[in-house]
Amino acid sequence: HSQTNDSLHLNDVVMDSNSYYGLWVGSSSNDQIKVSINNSVFKNNSTQSQGAAIWSKKNTLKVTDTQFTNNDSYEKGSIYIDEDGADVSFIGCLFKDNYTTGGNYVSVFSTGSDVEIIDCVFLNNEENLFGGSQYNSTSADISILNSIVWGNTLISTGTWPNMNVTATYSCIEGGYAGTGKTSADPDFCNPFDIDLTLPQSSP
C-alpha cells in the first residue's frame, strides 16, 4: 500500500488464498504510481467487497502472462479499477472460474477506466465479465484483441449502458459485432487445466 510515487514490479509471484485482497494499490489520486505484474498467479483469493485479486485506482497497471483463477469477490469483480483515468492493460492472461457470491455482479473486471485486453482467454467465469466501478455511471471503454471468450457473457448493456466493449479478431461464444470475429468452439485440448492448448484443428 503506497501513497507516494513508488513503483512496484511483481514477477513470478503467487497470490494464493488471501482473505482480503491479493494486491491493493491504495492511493486514489496518484497517477504516478506504476504497477507491473508478469508471469504470476492470483488464485483462490476472496473478499467481502470487491477486488479479490487486485484493487487498483488511478495508477498505471500493466499485467502480462498472468493467471487469475477461482477468485471470489462478494461484489463488483475480482479486478477492481476504482478510478477513471488509469492506464490499464492485460496481455497474455488467463481468467478462469472466477465468480461472485454477492448477487448479480460481474465476475472479472469492474472498472471506471478504459482497459486494453490483448491475447487473453476468459473461460467459464460466472456472470458477466465486465461492469462498472460505480452503478450506471461508468463510461469506460474495454477493447479486446486476439482473445477467446468462452463459457462467459461479456456485459449487461441494460445495467451498464454507458460502457463500451469492442472486440477485434477474437473468438466470442454466441457471436459479437466487430472485425475478424468467430463464434466457433475453440475446442481446447484440456479445458480443465491451467495451461490451455488448442489442437491444430481449432478454428
Side-chain angles (χ1 to χ4, degrees):
H1 175 196
S2 177
Q3 297 199 34
T4 68
N5 292 341
D6 296 338
S7 294
L8 174 68
H9 177 64
L10 300 179
N11 184 61
D12 198 21
V13 170
V14 176
M15 300 285 192
D16 187 357
S17 301
N18 294 286
S19 59
Y20 198 55
Y21 312 109
L23 173 66
W24 178 25
V25 185
S27 175
S28 61
S29 59
N30 193 337
D31 59 3
Q32 301 301 308
I33 295 175
K34 294 178 174 58
V35 177
S36 64
I37 301 169
N38 180 62
N39 195 36
S40 294
V41 176
F42 290 76
K43 64 179 181 179
N44 307 320
N45 301 291
S46 64
T47 178
Q48 289 299 304
S49 55
Q50 58 270 338
I54 298 174
W55 183 344
S56 190
K57 298 203 174 187
K58 197 175 182 180
N59 50 280
T60 295
L61 177 64
K62 303 292 186 182
V63 185
T64 57
D65 300 324
T66 292
Q67 301 170 1
F68 297 88
T69 60
N70 199 44
N71 297 291
D72 172 25
S73 289
Y74 186 81
E75 60 182 15
K76 292 188 179 176
S78 293
I79 299 168
Y80 184 65
I81 312 300
D82 197 3
E83 305 284 333
D84 60 5
D87 181 9
V88 183
S89 66
F90 286 76
I91 301 172
C93 295
L94 170 65
F95 306 87
K96 185 174 183 288
D97 297 328
N98 298 286
Y99 61 101
T100 174
T101 56
N104 191 25
Y105 296 100
V106 301
S107 58
V108 181
F109 277 98
S110 281
T111 180
S113 290
D114 298 348
V115 178
E116 182 181 49
I117 294 167
I118 301 172
D119 300 338
C120 291
V121 175
F122 296 85
L123 182 63
N124 297 335
N125 299 282
E126 185 186 47
E127 304 295 344
N128 296 312
L129 297 180
F130 305 111
S133 61
Q134 304 296 330
Y135 186 77
N136 276 347
S137 62
T138 296
S139 58
D141 289 326
I142 311 293
S143 64
I144 302 172
L145 173 64
N146 197 39
S147 297
I148 298 174
V149 178
W150 203 258
N152 335 256
T153 52
L154 285 176
I155 186 173
S156 170
T157 55
T159 305
W160 308 104
N162 299 319
M163 290 189 73
N164 184 42
V165 177
T166 59
T168 307
Y169 297 108
S170 295
C171 174
I172 312 290
E173 184 178 12
Y176 199 75
T179 302
K181 298 272 261 325
T182 179
S183 58
D185 189 338
D187 192 25
F188 290 108
C189 294
N190 48 348
F192 299 103
D193 293 342
I194 294 300
D195 296 322
L196 295 172
T197 57
L198 293 170
Q200 290 185 350
S201 59
S202 172

